[in-house]
Amino acid sequence: MRIKITGIMVLDQQKALDFYTDVLGFVKKVDIPLSEGNRWLTVVSKYEQDGTELLLEPAPLHFEPSKVYQEELKKAGIPSFQFYVDSVQEEFERLTKLGVEFSVNPTDVGTVIIAVFDDTCGNNIQLVEEK
């Protein structure tokens, strides 16, 4: 078994695509129009373009339980996803300059350094640097 695609719920697919590509630096992999203006829309790491795809899933717009789940995770400050980086501090500085809002600044928590930001699409995302 292997993981090919995993999804993250987003409130607006185009806004999410813009944020994940223009700000975070991911690359659009698949963009297929579906019904009701939705898309099968995935992004990948520019460093692993044949790696796991992240599906920008418009579930909160169409499935109330996923909307509640997303909102409650966000309120509780729980990250929806973790992205690993070489340097949390460098990414924090780069993203802050681009206007990204962090709820947790770079913090050493023992075996890793973390930071948490708002992806502007309804999710908290945690950056992780392994020490």
Side-chain angles (χ1 to χ4, degrees), residues 75-115:
K75 276 196 269 184
I78 298 172
S80 297
F81 261 81
Q82 296 182 356
F83 297 137
Y84 280 64
V85 296
D86 292 331
S87 170
V88 166
Q89 185 63 42
E90 287 176 16
E91 281 298 310
F92 172 79
E93 290 170 9
R94 182 183 77 80
L95 294 174
T96 299
K97 287 178 186 172
L98 292 172
V100 174
E101 295 182 17
F102 280 79
S103 57
V104 177
N105 290 343
T107 305
D108 188 324
V109 293
T111 59
V112 297
I113 298 170
I114 64 163

mmCIF file of all heavy atoms in Angstrom, residues 75-115:
data_model
loop_
_atom_site.group_PDB
_atom_site.id
_atom_site.type_symbol
_atom_site.label_atom_id
_atom_site.label_comp_id
_atom_site.label_asym_id
_atom_site.label_seq_id
_atom_site.Cartn_x
_atom_site.Cartn_y
_atom_site.Cartn_z
ATOM 1 N N LYS A 75 -11.304 26.169 15.721
ATOM 2 C CA LYS A 75 -11.565 26.811 17.018
ATOM 3 C C LYS A 75 -10.675 26.250 18.114
ATOM 4 O O LYS A 75 -10.225 26.982 18.984
ATOM 5 C CB LYS A 75 -13.037 26.637 17.420
ATOM 6 C CG LYS A 75 -13.956 27.655 16.812
ATOM 7 C CD LYS A 75 -15.299 27.678 17.523
ATOM 8 C CE LYS A 75 -16.244 26.738 16.860
ATOM 9 N NZ LYS A 75 -17.589 26.755 17.425
ATOM 10 N N ALA A 76 -10.432 24.949 18.072
ATOM 11 C CA ALA A 76 -9.614 24.295 19.089
ATOM 12 C C ALA A 76 -8.121 24.527 18.872
ATOM 13 O O ALA A 76 -7.303 24.159 19.710
ATOM 14 C CB ALA A 76 -9.916 22.794 19.113
ATOM 15 N N GLY A 77 -7.765 25.127 17.734
ATOM 16 C CA GLY A 77 -6.355 25.368 17.447
ATOM 17 C C GLY A 77 -5.612 24.129 16.992
ATOM 18 O O GLY A 77 -4.386 24.077 17.031
ATOM 19 N N ILE A 78 -6.358 23.120 16.543
ATOM 20 C CA ILE A 78 -5.747 21.866 16.109
ATOM 21 C C ILE A 78 -5.438 21.947 14.618
ATOM 22 O O ILE A 78 -6.322 22.260 13.817
ATOM 23 C CB ILE A 78 -6.685 20.671 16.393
ATOM 24 C CG1 ILE A 78 -6.926 20.557 17.898
ATOM 25 C CG2 ILE A 78 -6.112 19.381 15.818
ATOM 26 C CD1 ILE A 78 -7.982 19.547 18.275
ATOM 27 N N PRO A 79 -4.205 21.672 14.222
ATOM 28 C CA PRO A 79 -3.860 21.719 12.803
ATOM 29 C C PRO A 79 -4.581 20.632 12.003
ATOM 30 O O PRO A 79 -4.724 19.493 12.463
ATOM 31 C CB PRO A 79 -2.357 21.468 12.788
ATOM 32 C CG PRO A 79 -1.891 21.769 14.164
ATOM 33 C CD PRO A 79 -3.034 21.427 15.065
ATOM 34 N N SER A 80 -5.013 20.999 10.814
ATOM 35 C CA SER A 80 -5.613 20.025 9.900
ATOM 36 C C SER A 80 -4.536 19.202 9.207
ATOM 37 O O SER A 80 -4.776 18.063 8.826
ATOM 38 C CB SER A 80 -6.441 20.744 8.830
ATOM 39 O OG SER A 80 -7.507 21.441 9.413
ATOM 40 N N PHE A 81 -3.370 19.812 9.024
ATOM 41 C CA PHE A 81 -2.257 19.162 8.337
ATOM 42 C C PHE A 81 -0.945 19.621 8.923
ATOM 43 O O PHE A 81 -0.868 20.679 9.542
ATOM 44 C CB PHE A 81 -2.260 19.519 6.839
ATOM 45 C CG PHE A 81 -2.867 18.456 5.993
ATOM 46 C CD1 PHE A 81 -4.235 18.374 5.870
ATOM 47 C CD2 PHE A 81 -2.077 17.532 5.337
ATOM 48 C CE1 PHE A 81 -4.819 17.392 5.102
ATOM 49 C CE2 PHE A 81 -2.646 16.547 4.558
ATOM 50 C CZ PHE A 81 -4.018 16.471 4.436
ATOM 51 N N GLN A 82 0.085 18.817 8.659
ATOM 52 C CA GLN A 82 1.452 19.185 9.014
ATOM 53 C C GLN A 82 2.293 19.120 7.750
ATOM 54 O O GLN A 82 2.206 18.149 6.992
ATOM 55 C CB GLN A 82 2.037 18.212 10.038
ATOM 56 C CG GLN A 82 1.337 18.220 11.362
ATOM 57 C CD GLN A 82 1.997 17.265 12.350
ATOM 58 O OE1 GLN A 82 2.932 16.548 12.021
ATOM 59 N NE2 GLN A 82 1.505 17.267 13.559
ATOM 60 N N PHE A 83 3.076 20.148 7.532
ATOM 61 C CA PHE A 83 4.022 20.158 6.427
ATOM 62 C C PHE A 83 5.421 20.230 7.018
ATOM 63 O O PHE A 83 5.706 21.080 7.864
ATOM 64 C CB PHE A 83 3.790 21.363 5.510
ATOM 65 C CG PHE A 83 2.443 21.361 4.826
ATOM 66 C CD1 PHE A 83 1.710 22.524 4.733
ATOM 67 C CD2 PHE A 83 1.928 20.207 4.271
ATOM 68 C CE1 PHE A 83 0.475 22.538 4.097
ATOM 69 C CE2 PHE A 83 0.692 20.197 3.636
ATOM 70 C CZ PHE A 83 -0.030 21.374 3.549
ATOM 71 N N TYR A 84 6.284 19.336 6.565
ATOM 72 C CA TYR A 84 7.661 19.302 7.059
ATOM 73 C C TYR A 84 8.523 20.246 6.234
ATOM 74 O O TYR A 84 8.375 20.329 5.005
ATOM 75 C CB TYR A 84 8.204 17.865 7.010
ATOM 76 C CG TYR A 84 7.715 17.061 8.188
ATOM 77 C CD1 TYR A 84 6.364 16.780 8.353
ATOM 78 C CD2 TYR A 84 8.594 16.627 9.169
ATOM 79 C CE1 TYR A 84 5.905 16.068 9.448
ATOM 80 C CE2 TYR A 84 8.145 15.913 10.269
ATOM 81 C CZ TYR A 84 6.794 15.632 10.399
ATOM 82 O OH TYR A 84 6.346 14.949 11.496
ATOM 83 N N VAL A 85 9.383 20.972 6.910
ATOM 84 C CA VAL A 85 10.270 21.943 6.273
ATOM 85 C C VAL A 85 11.675 21.770 6.838
ATOM 86 O O VAL A 85 11.856 21.191 7.912
ATOM 87 C CB VAL A 85 9.781 23.400 6.498
ATOM 88 C CG1 VAL A 85 8.424 23.621 5.837
ATOM 89 C CG2 VAL A 85 9.713 23.757 7.968
ATOM 90 N N ASP A 86 12.656 22.287 6.112
ATOM 91 C CA ASP A 86 14.034 22.222 6.593
ATOM 92 C C ASP A 86 14.263 23.173 7.760
ATOM 93 O O ASP A 86 15.012 22.867 8.680
ATOM 94 C CB ASP A 86 15.021 22.533 5.469
ATOM 95 C CG ASP A 86 15.032 21.449 4.395
ATOM 96 O OD1 ASP A 86 14.755 20.271 4.713
ATOM 97 O OD2 ASP A 86 15.306 21.791 3.232
ATOM 98 N N SER A 87 13.620 24.353 7.701
ATOM 99 C CA SER A 87 13.799 25.350 8.758
ATOM 100 C C SER A 87 12.469 26.061 9.019
ATOM 101 O O SER A 87 11.999 26.835 8.172
ATOM 102 C CB SER A 87 14.852 26.383 8.362
ATOM 103 O OG SER A 87 14.853 27.463 9.295
ATOM 104 N N VAL A 88 11.883 25.804 10.167
ATOM 105 C CA VAL A 88 10.635 26.479 10.543
ATOM 106 C C VAL A 88 10.863 27.980 10.627
ATOM 107 O O VAL A 88 10.034 28.771 10.166
ATOM 108 C CB VAL A 88 10.063 25.919 11.870
ATOM 109 C CG1 VAL A 88 8.974 26.824 12.423
ATOM 110 C CG2 VAL A 88 9.514 24.508 11.664
ATOM 111 N N GLN A 89 11.982 28.391 11.186
ATOM 112 C CA GLN A 89 12.254 29.826 11.331
ATOM 113 C C GLN A 89 12.306 30.525 9.973
ATOM 114 O O GLN A 89 11.717 31.590 9.788
ATOM 115 C CB GLN A 89 13.559 30.062 12.098
ATOM 116 C CG GLN A 89 13.844 31.525 12.398
ATOM 117 C CD GLN A 89 12.801 32.169 13.305
ATOM 118 O OE1 GLN A 89 12.342 31.577 14.284
ATOM 119 N NE2 GLN A 89 12.387 33.390 12.978
ATOM 120 N N GLU A 90 12.991 29.920 9.008
ATOM 121 C CA GLU A 90 13.077 30.521 7.680
ATOM 122 C C GLU A 90 11.706 30.598 7.007
ATOM 123 O O GLU A 90 11.362 31.607 6.388
ATOM 124 C CB GLU A 90 14.056 29.744 6.797
ATOM 125 C CG GLU A 90 15.500 29.965 7.187
ATOM 126 C CD GLU A 90 16.463 29.118 6.367
ATOM 127 O OE1 GLU A 90 16.063 28.576 5.305
ATOM 128 O OE2 GLU A 90 17.625 28.993 6.787
ATOM 129 N N GLU A 91 10.915 29.528 7.122
ATOM 130 C CA GLU A 91 9.575 29.537 6.530
ATOM 131 C C GLU A 91 8.674 30.536 7.238
ATOM 132 O O GLU A 91 7.884 31.235 6.602
ATOM 133 C CB GLU A 91 8.936 28.143 6.567
ATOM 134 C CG GLU A 91 9.433 27.222 5.491
ATOM 135 C CD GLU A 91 9.138 27.718 4.083
ATOM 136 O OE1 GLU A 91 7.988 28.085 3.777
ATOM 137 O OE2 GLU A 91 10.083 27.746 3.273
ATOM 138 N N PHE A 92 8.800 30.626 8.539
ATOM 139 C CA PHE A 92 8.036 31.606 9.314
ATOM 140 C C PHE A 92 8.332 33.019 8.807
ATOM 141 O O PHE A 92 7.415 33.800 8.542
ATOM 142 C CB PHE A 92 8.380 31.476 10.801
ATOM 143 C CG PHE A 92 7.807 32.554 11.663
ATOM 144 C CD1 PHE A 92 6.479 32.533 12.055
ATOM 145 C CD2 PHE A 92 8.610 33.603 12.094
ATOM 146 C CE1 PHE A 92 5.950 33.534 12.855
ATOM 147 C CE2 PHE A 92 8.095 34.612 12.893
ATOM 148 C CZ PHE A 92 6.759 34.579 13.277
ATOM 149 N N GLU A 93 9.598 33.332 8.642
ATOM 150 C CA GLU A 93 9.988 34.662 8.176
ATOM 151 C C GLU A 93 9.502 34.916 6.752
ATOM 152 O O GLU A 93 8.963 35.986 6.440
ATOM 153 C CB GLU A 93 11.504 34.830 8.283
ATOM 154 C CG GLU A 93 11.983 34.908 9.722
ATOM 155 C CD GLU A 93 13.490 34.836 9.879
ATOM 156 O OE1 GLU A 93 14.222 34.899 8.851
ATOM 157 O OE2 GLU A 93 13.947 34.710 11.037
ATOM 158 N N ARG A 94 9.656 33.932 5.875
ATOM 159 C CA ARG A 94 9.225 34.074 4.482
ATOM 160 C C ARG A 94 7.715 34.264 4.396
ATOM 161 O O ARG A 94 7.216 35.171 3.721
ATOM 162 C CB ARG A 94 9.647 32.837 3.674
ATOM 163 C CG ARG A 94 9.282 32.905 2.195
ATOM 164 C CD ARG A 94 9.670 31.624 1.469
ATOM 165 N NE ARG A 94 8.743 30.542 1.719
ATOM 166 C CZ ARG A 94 7.572 30.395 1.108
ATOM 167 N NH1 ARG A 94 7.173 31.272 0.209
ATOM 168 N NH2 ARG A 94 6.801 29.359 1.378
ATOM 169 N N LEU A 95 6.971 33.420 5.097
ATOM 170 C CA LEU A 95 5.509 33.485 5.027
ATOM 171 C C LEU A 95 4.951 34.726 5.712
ATOM 172 O O LEU A 95 3.973 35.317 5.242
ATOM 173 C CB LEU A 95 4.902 32.211 5.618
ATOM 174 C CG LEU A 95 5.195 30.925 4.832
ATOM 175 C CD1 LEU A 95 4.680 29.701 5.588
ATOM 176 C CD2 LEU A 95 4.616 30.989 3.429
ATOM 177 N N THR A 96 5.569 35.137 6.802
ATOM 178 C CA THR A 96 5.127 36.355 7.492
ATOM 179 C C THR A 96 5.258 37.557 6.561
ATOM 180 O O THR A 96 4.366 38.402 6.501
ATOM 181 C CB THR A 96 5.932 36.565 8.787
ATOM 182 O OG1 THR A 96 5.706 35.447 9.651
ATOM 183 C CG2 THR A 96 5.504 37.827 9.510
ATOM 184 N N LYS A 97 6.346 37.622 5.809
ATOM 185 C CA LYS A 97 6.532 38.715 4.837
ATOM 186 C C LYS A 97 5.462 38.708 3.765
ATOM 187 O O LYS A 97 5.145 39.738 3.182
ATOM 188 C CB LYS A 97 7.921 38.622 4.196
ATOM 189 C CG LYS A 97 9.042 39.019 5.115
ATOM 190 C CD LYS A 97 10.388 38.864 4.443
ATOM 191 C CE LYS A 97 11.503 39.123 5.436
ATOM 192 N NZ LYS A 97 12.822 38.803 4.884
ATOM 193 N N LEU A 98 4.886 37.527 3.498
ATOM 194 C CA LEU A 98 3.833 37.403 2.487
ATOM 195 C C LEU A 98 2.432 37.616 3.084
ATOM 196 O O LEU A 98 1.435 37.447 2.388
ATOM 197 C CB LEU A 98 3.911 36.024 1.819
ATOM 198 C CG LEU A 98 5.151 35.792 0.957
ATOM 199 C CD1 LEU A 98 5.224 34.343 0.496
ATOM 200 C CD2 LEU A 98 5.158 36.744 -0.238
ATOM 201 N N GLY A 99 2.380 37.964 4.387
ATOM 202 C CA GLY A 99 1.103 38.255 5.023
ATOM 203 C C GLY A 99 0.420 37.085 5.696
ATOM 204 O O GLY A 99 -0.723 37.207 6.144
ATOM 205 N N VAL A 100 1.085 35.957 5.785
ATOM 206 C CA VAL A 100 0.492 34.789 6.445
ATOM 207 C C VAL A 100 0.429 35.041 7.945
ATOM 208 O O VAL A 100 1.395 35.536 8.541
ATOM 209 C CB VAL A 100 1.306 33.511 6.132
ATOM 210 C CG1 VAL A 100 0.781 32.318 6.917
ATOM 211 C CG2 VAL A 100 1.284 33.239 4.629
ATOM 212 N N GLU A 101 -0.711 34.706 8.539
ATOM 213 C CA GLU A 101 -0.905 34.913 9.977
ATOM 214 C C GLU A 101 -0.646 33.628 10.753
ATOM 215 O O GLU A 101 -1.260 32.595 10.476
ATOM 216 C CB GLU A 101 -2.321 35.414 10.236
ATOM 217 C CG GLU A 101 -2.565 36.783 9.631
ATOM 218 C CD GLU A 101 -3.954 37.311 9.931
ATOM 219 O OE1 GLU A 101 -4.625 36.784 10.852
ATOM 220 O OE2 GLU A 101 -4.365 38.248 9.230
ATOM 221 N N PHE A 102 0.246 33.726 11.729
ATOM 222 C CA PHE A 102 0.610 32.586 12.566
ATOM 223 C C PHE A 102 -0.087 32.697 13.916
ATOM 224 O O PHE A 102 -0.110 33.765 14.519
ATOM 225 C CB PHE A 102 2.124 32.546 12.775
ATOM 226 C CG PHE A 102 2.867 31.961 11.615
ATOM 227 C CD1 PHE A 102 3.123 32.720 10.476
ATOM 228 C CD2 PHE A 102 3.306 30.646 11.647
ATOM 229 C CE1 PHE A 102 3.796 32.188 9.399
ATOM 230 C CE2 PHE A 102 3.989 30.100 10.567
ATOM 231 C CZ PHE A 102 4.230 30.874 9.437
ATOM 232 N N SER A 103 -0.630 31.575 14.384
ATOM 233 C CA SER A 103 -1.200 31.525 15.728
ATOM 234 C C SER A 103 -0.175 30.982 16.722
ATOM 235 O O SER A 103 -0.298 31.196 17.925
ATOM 236 C CB SER A 103 -2.467 30.664 15.753
ATOM 237 O OG SER A 103 -2.194 29.360 15.283
ATOM 238 N N VAL A 104 0.815 30.263 16.212
ATOM 239 C CA VAL A 104 1.919 29.761 17.038
ATOM 240 C C VAL A 104 3.207 30.094 16.301
ATOM 241 O O VAL A 104 3.440 29.616 15.188
ATOM 242 C CB VAL A 104 1.818 28.234 17.278
ATOM 243 C CG1 VAL A 104 3.019 27.731 18.066
ATOM 244 C CG2 VAL A 104 0.515 27.864 17.975
ATOM 245 N N ASN A 105 4.027 30.940 16.906
ATOM 246 C CA ASN A 105 5.329 31.275 16.340
ATOM 247 C C ASN A 105 6.264 30.086 16.504
ATOM 248 O O ASN A 105 5.974 29.162 17.266
ATOM 249 C CB ASN A 105 5.893 32.503 17.033
ATOM 250 C CG ASN A 105 5.131 33.766 16.680
ATOM 251 O OD1 ASN A 105 4.380 33.811 15.707
ATOM 252 N ND2 ASN A 105 5.321 34.802 17.470
ATOM 253 N N PRO A 106 7.408 30.069 15.816
ATOM 254 C CA PRO A 106 8.325 28.947 15.954
ATOM 255 C C PRO A 106 8.585 28.604 17.421
ATOM 256 O O PRO A 106 8.930 29.476 18.221
ATOM 257 C CB PRO A 106 9.592 29.448 15.254
ATOM 258 C CG PRO A 106 9.064 30.376 14.207
ATOM 259 C CD PRO A 106 7.909 31.080 14.885
ATOM 260 N N THR A 107 8.363 27.340 17.741
ATOM 261 C CA THR A 107 8.444 26.867 19.116
ATOM 262 C C THR A 107 9.160 25.527 19.162
ATOM 263 O O THR A 107 8.786 24.591 18.445
ATOM 264 C CB THR A 107 7.025 26.693 19.717
ATOM 265 O OG1 THR A 107 6.313 27.925 19.580
ATOM 266 C CG2 THR A 107 7.080 26.275 21.170
ATOM 267 N N ASP A 108 10.171 25.419 19.998
ATOM 268 C CA ASP A 108 10.887 24.165 20.207
ATOM 269 C C ASP A 108 10.070 23.322 21.183
ATOM 270 O O ASP A 108 9.824 23.740 22.310
ATOM 271 C CB ASP A 108 12.279 24.454 20.778
ATOM 272 C CG ASP A 108 13.157 23.224 20.845
ATOM 273 O OD1 ASP A 108 12.644 22.116 21.116
ATOM 274 O OD2 ASP A 108 14.376 23.377 20.627
ATOM 275 N N VAL A 109 9.633 22.149 20.725
ATOM 276 C CA VAL A 109 8.827 21.280 21.586
ATOM 277 C C VAL A 109 9.539 19.951 21.861
ATOM 278 O O VAL A 109 8.905 18.921 22.055
ATOM 279 C CB VAL A 109 7.407 21.043 21.004
ATOM 280 C CG1 VAL A 109 6.601 22.313 21.014
ATOM 281 C CG2 VAL A 109 7.466 20.454 19.601
ATOM 282 N N GLY A 110 10.841 20.003 21.885
ATOM 283 C CA GLY A 110 11.619 18.809 22.234
ATOM 284 C C GLY A 110 12.312 18.213 21.028
ATOM 285 O O GLY A 110 13.424 18.593 20.695
ATOM 286 N N THR A 111 11.645 17.285 20.349
ATOM 287 C CA THR A 111 12.276 16.614 19.209
ATOM 288 C C THR A 111 12.034 17.332 17.885
ATOM 289 O O THR A 111 12.638 16.981 16.873
ATOM 290 C CB THR A 111 11.767 15.164 19.083
ATOM 291 O OG1 THR A 111 10.344 15.193 18.907
ATOM 292 C CG2 THR A 111 12.120 14.355 20.318
ATOM 293 N N VAL A 112 11.139 18.316 17.893
ATOM 294 C CA VAL A 112 10.844 19.085 16.681
ATOM 295 C C VAL A 112 10.633 20.561 17.027
ATOM 296 O O VAL A 112 10.419 20.902 18.190
ATOM 297 C CB VAL A 112 9.585 18.563 15.933
ATOM 298 C CG1 VAL A 112 9.785 17.148 15.436
ATOM 299 C CG2 VAL A 112 8.345 18.661 16.809
ATOM 300 N N ILE A 113 10.681 21.389 16.003
ATOM 301 C CA ILE A 113 10.296 22.797 16.121
ATOM 302 C C ILE A 113 9.031 22.947 15.283
ATOM 303 O O ILE A 113 8.955 22.411 14.161
ATOM 304 C CB ILE A 113 11.407 23.730 15.601
ATOM 305 C CG1 ILE A 113 12.670 23.542 16.449
ATOM 306 C CG2 ILE A 113 10.947 25.186 15.630
ATOM 307 C CD1 ILE A 113 13.896 24.224 15.880
ATOM 308 N N ILE A 114 8.029 23.633 15.826
ATOM 309 C CA ILE A 114 6.764 23.786 15.116
ATOM 310 C C ILE A 114 6.374 25.256 15.011
ATOM 311 O O ILE A 114 6.890 26.103 15.740
ATOM 312 C CB ILE A 114 5.619 23.018 15.808
ATOM 313 C CG1 ILE A 114 5.353 23.609 17.212
ATOM 314 C CG2 ILE A 114 5.909 21.526 15.868
ATOM 315 C CD1 ILE A 114 4.027 23.219 17.814
ATOM 316 N N ALA A 115 5.456 25.537 14.124
ATOM 317 C CA ALA A 115 4.765 26.817 14.027
ATOM 318 C C ALA A 115 3.421 26.505 13.383
ATOM 319 O O ALA A 115 3.294 25.523 12.636
ATOM 320 C CB ALA A 115 5.548 27.820 13.192
#
